[in-house]
Amino acid sequence: MMSWCQLGFQDAGSYFMEEFIYFHDFTMMIILGVLSYVVVFLVLGLVSGWVDSGFVEGQLIEFMWTIFPALILIQIAFPSLLLLYLIEDFSKSFLVCKVIGHQWYWSYEIKTESAEILASVDCYMLPREGAFGMRLLLTDEFLMLPINVPVRILVTSDDVIHSWTLPSLGIKGDAVPGRLNQLNVTLSRKAMFYGQCSEICGANHSFMPVMLMGVTSPQFFMWLDRL
C-alpha cells in the first residue's frame, strides 16, 4: 500500500513485481549513465569552444557512437523480453480465480484447473463510517490466495469495461464483457494488498476497491470452508 509522499514503487508482493522493480532500477542506471555522459560533453563543448576535426569527422568515433547505443538497447531488450515471456506463461498454474466486474463491485470464483468451482464471493466497498480511515479501499469481503502457489486469474465483466488492478503484485487486467483476459501471479509473502478499478466505468467508478490477502495454504482452505 502506498504511503504519503512515496515516490517509488510499492513493496513487491509477487515474484513478478520484484523482477519488474529490478528491471526498472537496472534501466534507470543505464539512463542516468547515458544522460551524465551527454551532459558532460555538452557542457565542455559550450564552455571551452574547443573542436577537434578528428572527433567531428573521424570514422572510428562514428562507428563507436553507432555500436554503443545498439549494445545498450540489446542489453535492455533481453531482460525485458524475458519478463514478457514469464508473465504470459500459464503452464504451471495450480489454481484458477475468475474475477467478474459489475457496476460497481467485484465477484470472485475460485476454481480448480478442471473448472470445478470451490467457492464464490461478492465484495462491496465499505461506507465511510466503517472504513477505519482507509476511505475507498476496504470491502466487506476480500479475496484470499495462497502464497507460493501459481494462480491463473481470469478477468471479465458483466456489464461495462472495468480494470482489475493490484499495483503491489504488478498485475492489471481489463475486464471486458464477453471476453476473458488471463493474468498470472504467484504471491511471495503474507500481506493484505489493495487496489482499485483503473478504468472509468460509470458514476461509481471510484467505489470499486480490490482487497486481496496472501495467506498460507491451510489458511486458504479454512477460508474456502467458511464460504
Side-chain angles (χ1 to χ4, degrees):
M1 182 176 175
M2 294 290 290
S3 59
W4 184 254
C5 293
Q6 181 176 343
L7 299 179
F9 291 103
Q10 299 183 28
D11 293 338
S14 68
Y15 296 105
F16 290 147
M17 189 60 189
E18 292 177 5
E19 294 297 329
F20 294 156
I21 295 175
Y22 294 151
F23 177 69
H24 170 268
D25 296 341
F26 170 72
T27 306
M28 287 302 298
M29 291 301 297
I30 293 178
I31 293 175
L32 288 176
V34 172
L35 181 62
S36 301
Y37 182 84
V38 172
V39 169
V40 167
F41 275 88
L42 181 62
V43 171
L44 289 177
L46 292 175
V47 172
S48 65
W50 171 77
V51 177
D52 183 7
S53 60
F55 184 80
V56 174
E57 301 178 1
Q59 293 185 359
L60 177 60
I61 192 64
E62 291 180 3
F63 176 79
M64 292 173 60
W65 71 41
T66 302
I67 291 297
F68 283 169
L71 294 177
I72 292 173
L73 292 177
I74 292 173
Q75 196 173 16
I76 296 175
F78 275 109
S80 175
L81 292 174
L82 177 62
L83 286 177
L84 288 174
Y85 175 79
L86 289 177
I87 62 176
E88 295 294 334
D89 182 16
F90 302 98
S91 60
K92 298 180 180 179
S93 59
F94 294 98
L95 195 66
V96 178
C97 175
K98 186 176 182 181
V99 180
I100 306 171
H102 306 272
Q103 289 181 315
W104 285 271
Y105 65 97
W106 296 103
S107 296
Y108 302 104
E109 294 179 359
I110 307 297
K111 304 180 180 182
T112 62
E113 280 293 336
S114 59
E116 177 187 356
I117 298 179
L118 301 177
S120 61
V121 61
D122 297 331
C123 300
Y124 297 86
M125 189 192 74
L126 289 177
R128 183 195 298 254
E129 294 76 16
F132 306 104
M134 299 176 63
R135 181 174 174 267
L136 304 181
L137 285 177
L138 298 186
T139 56
D140 56 350
E141 296 285 348
F142 50 85
L143 176 65
M144 280 191 181
L145 292 178
I147 61 175
N148 298 320
V149 175
V151 179
R152 182 159 57 101
I153 299 176
L154 305 177
V155 185
T156 187
S157 174
D158 192 44
D159 35 53
V160 299
I161 298 177
H162 303 278
S163 185
W164 195 72
T165 307
L166 282 165
S168 295
L169 305 182
I171 55 177
K172 177 180 179 181
D174 290 334
V176 182
R179 177 174 178 176
L180 283 176
N181 286 327
Q182 292 190 104
L183 303 171
N184 186 17
V185 65
T186 303
L187 302 184
S188 60
R189 60 188 175 93
K190 294 173 57 178
M192 179 68 79
F193 305 104
Y194 300 91
Q196 290 178 307
C197 177
S198 298
E199 187 75 35
I200 298 177
C201 54
N204 292 331
H205 156 69
S206 302
F207 309 111
M208 291 185 64
V210 178
M211 287 181 64
L212 187 152
M213 177 179 283
V215 296
T216 61
S217 295
Q219 292 173 325
F220 173 72
F221 288 113
M222 290 174 60
W223 177 72
L224 291 181
D225 292 336
R226 181 176 65 84
L227 297 177

